[in-house]
Amino acid sequence: MEVEAAKYIAAGLAIGLGAIGPGIGEGIAASKALEAIGRNPEASGKITPLMFVAMAITESTAIYALVVTLIILFA
Amino acid sequence: MKLDISLAPETLFYIGSVAISNSFFWLLVLTFFILVGVFFLNRSLKMRPGKVQNVFEMLLAGAFDFVETTVGSKSLAQKTFPLVFTLFFFILVSNLITFIPGQAAVTIETAGGVVPLFRAIIADYSLVFMMTMLSVLITQIVAIYVAGPFRYLGRFLNFTSPLNFFLGLMDLIGEVAKVMSLSFRLFGNIFAGEVLGAVMLFLFPFFLPLPFAFLGLLTAVVQAFVFAVLTLVFISMAATVSEESEAA
């Protein structure tokens, strides 16, 4: 296999596999937050920013995969 | 058309043997404007606030209340607030400033070819790394100051049992991993936003990038907030965990 082709496959695999976990995790965070808001709509102002922070932290593993992908592609 | 994306910032010119990159240049411009803005705002403070002062006072008071509820005590909040809010404000401004349209079109002719004059400064890893080191080092200094040097070292090198020794080593790795997790999160988000915008512009100009620009706007605010809050949480953990172990 050529090096160039292997690079593209590696980049695709890295971000594709790396996005699975955070995708599930963010879905769980969003569903729980929406559930909580549904039970107690007055608390939405408190829940929403916390949900965003939690999601941003959950997302970070996907971001690591993305950084690796970008390094493979462009560096 | 070829996509022009590089991890490293482009060099604009040299002073002596020191390379001045476009992100460094942009950082100086931005810092200058922030300092001048804060200076004039500071000069025009009145007892009866005007519109601008009102907005900033509301922002600061809200942020301070948030810090106070997070760290749990007013004295600790007063100590950590300046650092945390400066980090937040600086990252927020430098992220939002990249949404001014047209700046990617300003290019400059250099020895190494035509390079853009401006660059999102958070998309330069060296700056993010420095900010992360600052935040992590301050965390360690707070931990040493609160616990004392011997108990601080004792957290990592614990010879009472094999399990404690192993857990201490894990703690040590955790502290080092903070540098990577904190810096990669901010850098990766902003750089990925830039790359995403470029790719979408390449696929279908003007319309396709719009939703992604909105997503980037959200990311810009949330990541600035997350970086500051994580710094705050690290510092407050370093200041309180030691008190707990003192009681135990």
Side-chain angles (χ1 to χ4, degrees), chain A residues 49-50 52-61 63-68 70-75, chain B residues 3 5-7 66 180-182 184-185 187-189 191-192 195 218-219 222-223 225-226 229-230:
Chain A
L50 288 176
F52 274 122
V53 173
M55 275 184 154
I57 293 168
T58 316
E59 203 185 51
S60 54
T61 37
I63 296 293
Y64 303 155
L66 190 65
V67 170
V68 169
L70 293 174
I71 288 172
I72 291 174
L73 283 181
F74 300 116
Chain B
L3 278 176
I5 297 159
S6 72
L7 275 175
F66 180 80
M180 266 181 71
S181 71
L182 202 58
F184 271 10
R185 182 176 299 122
F187 167 75
N189 266 299
F191 186 71
V195 173
L218 190 71
T219 312
V222 169
Q223 289 306 320
F225 183 65
V226 166
V229 167
L230 282 180

Side-chain angles (χ1 to χ4, degrees), chain B:
Chain B
M1 192 178 135
K2 193 181 166 296
L3 278 176
D4 196 17
I5 297 159
S6 72
L7 275 175
E10 294 86 1
T11 307
L12 287 182
F13 53 87
Y14 290 89
I15 296 177
S17 62
V18 182
I20 304 296
S21 62
N22 49 5
S23 57
F24 183 67
F25 170 76
W26 195 209
L27 170 70
L28 288 184
V29 173
L30 205 63
T31 315
F32 176 75
F33 275 109
I34 291 177
L35 282 180
V36 168
V38 170
F39 177 73
F40 279 108
L41 194 69
N42 208 7
R43 282 269 301 272
S44 64
L45 286 183
K46 295 187 202 76
M47 275 310 287
R48 292 180 59 193
K51 270 185 191 145
V52 179
Q53 195 185 339
N54 240 336
V55 169
F56 273 89
E57 275 183 8
M58 266 167 62
L59 189 71
L60 279 169
F64 188 81
D65 281 348
F66 180 80
V67 169
E68 199 181 334
T69 50
T70 308
V71 298
S73 81
K74 192 164 183 177
S75 63
L76 195 57
Q78 276 169 344
K79 281 175 197 154
T80 52
F81 181 71
L83 171 76
V84 169
F85 191 77
T86 307
L87 280 175
F88 170 71
F89 189 72
F90 178 72
I91 297 172
L92 184 68
V93 168
S94 55
N95 280 345
L96 290 184
I97 219 85
T98 58
F99 285 94
I100 296 174
Q103 42 174 297
V106 182
T107 53
I108 187 170
E109 188 90 48
T110 62
V114 179
V115 298
L117 183 59
F118 299 123
R119 180 190 170 98
I121 58 176
I122 301 294
D124 178 358
Y125 187 66
S126 41
L127 175 71
V128 180
F129 184 71
M130 278 320 294
M131 289 197 301
T132 313
M133 284 311 283
L134 182 79
S135 125
V136 170
L137 281 182
I138 287 177
T139 309
Q140 302 309 320
I141 290 169
V142 169
I144 293 172
Y145 178 77
V146 172
F150 291 109
R151 196 181 296 130
Y152 172 78
L153 280 179
R155 248 176 68 208
F156 302 121
L157 298 172
N158 196 332
F159 295 108
T160 49
S161 75
L163 179 65
N164 281 346
F165 183 69
F166 181 69
L167 289 179
L169 281 185
M170 283 291 132
D171 265 5
L172 196 62
I173 294 172
E175 296 293 327
V176 177
K178 270 181 193 171
V179 178
M180 266 181 71
S181 71
L182 202 58
S183 60
F184 271 10
R185 182 176 299 122
L186 183 60
F187 167 75
N189 266 299
I190 303 305
F191 186 71
E194 298 272 304
V195 173
L196 200 62
V199 171
M200 290 305 151
L201 202 62
F202 181 68
L203 288 178
F204 185 63
F206 306 123
F207 294 105
L208 196 56
L210 278 179
F212 292 99
F214 179 71
L215 193 70
L217 205 60
L218 190 71
T219 312
V221 179
V222 169
Q223 289 306 320
F225 183 65
V226 166
F227 190 89
V229 167
L230 282 180
T231 304
L232 181 68
V233 170
F234 287 159
I235 292 176
S236 71
M237 260 164 56
T240 51
V241 162
S242 313
E243 278 169 23
E244 274 169 24
S245 61
E246 208 169 334

